[in-house]
Amino acid sequence: MTSPRPEQEFADRRYRSPAGIAGGVLMLALAGWLGGDAVARGEGRTPWLALAGLLCVVPLIIAFTLRPAVFAGASRLLVRNPFRTITLPWAAVDAVRAGYSSEVLAGGSTYQLWSVPVSLRQRKRAARAGGEQQAPADQTVSELQELAERGASREDAKGEVVVRWAYEVLAPAVAGLVLFVVLLVVG
């Protein structure tokens, strides 16, 4: 086991939605079952329409359920949303907050944290319990805000916000949609 570097104050952290992952796995299983059945037993155009539909739907299921994640490191925050990946050096982060959704404010822009869902029910439950107890999303936002404040002064935490589109999700979904429409039109 290697020891952390001296300048590293904390290990990289990952935040994901367990309910989102479970829902995504179930939806992929259902899509695979129904699509596989249509491909195996379908007649005429049905197998091709099913394959085109799967090509369109599977990347979208992955994008909205399995892909979202937030990675907090010593020098930056990486937000992986369904269609974009945002890299935020800690010095560029103005605030992390949770209202009806979790958000990071940086450089005059607001970025949603898809993998940190806010539950008003959990907030009410935590408020009833009293004390220092917080809802999971509020606890995560507090941790991220603390990391932003600690990491902002680091030399390697400076830089610009970088936003990259997730073409690996968009391209197959659009290709599947176009193929599906062409198959419908051609008849």
Side-chain angles (χ1 to χ4, degrees):
M1 183 170 153
T2 62
S3 63
R5 298 179 304 214
E7 71 273 2
Q8 186 174 358
E9 296 177 13
F10 54 88
D12 287 345
R13 300 176 190 192
R14 179 181 63 206
Y15 302 94
R16 300 191 72 174
S17 171
I21 293 171
V25 168
L26 289 174
M27 289 188 343
L28 285 172
L30 182 63
W33 178 38
L34 295 175
D37 184 55
V39 169
R41 296 182 187 198
E43 297 174 4
R45 295 182 322 160
T46 303
W48 296 107
L49 286 170
L51 286 173
L54 285 173
L55 183 61
C56 179
V57 169
V58 168
L60 295 176
I61 292 172
I62 291 170
F64 283 99
T65 60
L66 303 178
R67 188 172 195 281
V70 172
F71 301 96
S75 60
R76 66 183 170 91
L77 180 69
L78 181 83
V79 178
R80 197 170 65 194
N81 284 341
F83 300 121
R84 297 188 305 177
T85 300
I86 304 110
T87 304
L88 302 126
W90 286 123
V93 173
D94 298 325
V96 184
R97 66 181 183 197
Y100 291 110
S101 67
S102 301
E103 305 169 333
V104 175
L105 288 88
S109 297
T110 302
Y111 304 101
Q112 303 293 317
L113 303 177
W114 281 69
S115 67
V116 185
V118 173
S119 169
L120 298 180
R121 180 177 292 162
Q122 288 176 342
R123 276 190 180 159
K124 285 182 184 179
R125 188 178 307 138
R128 281 194 303 264
E132 296 292 319
Q133 188 172 355
Q134 288 183 311
D138 294 329
Q139 184 177 359
T140 298
V141 166
S142 296
E143 288 176 14
L144 290 174
Q145 183 62 42
E146 180 184 329
L147 292 173
E149 291 167 1
R150 283 194 307 180
S153 61
R154 295 174 56 95
E155 190 59 38
D156 60 347
K158 295 177 177 26
E160 296 293 318
V161 175
V162 177
V163 179
R164 184 185 75 79
W165 286 96
Y167 295 110
E168 65 274 10
V169 172
L170 294 169
V174 170
L177 179 63
V178 168
L179 183 59
F180 188 80
V181 169
V182 167
L183 288 170
L184 280 178
V185 170
V186 169

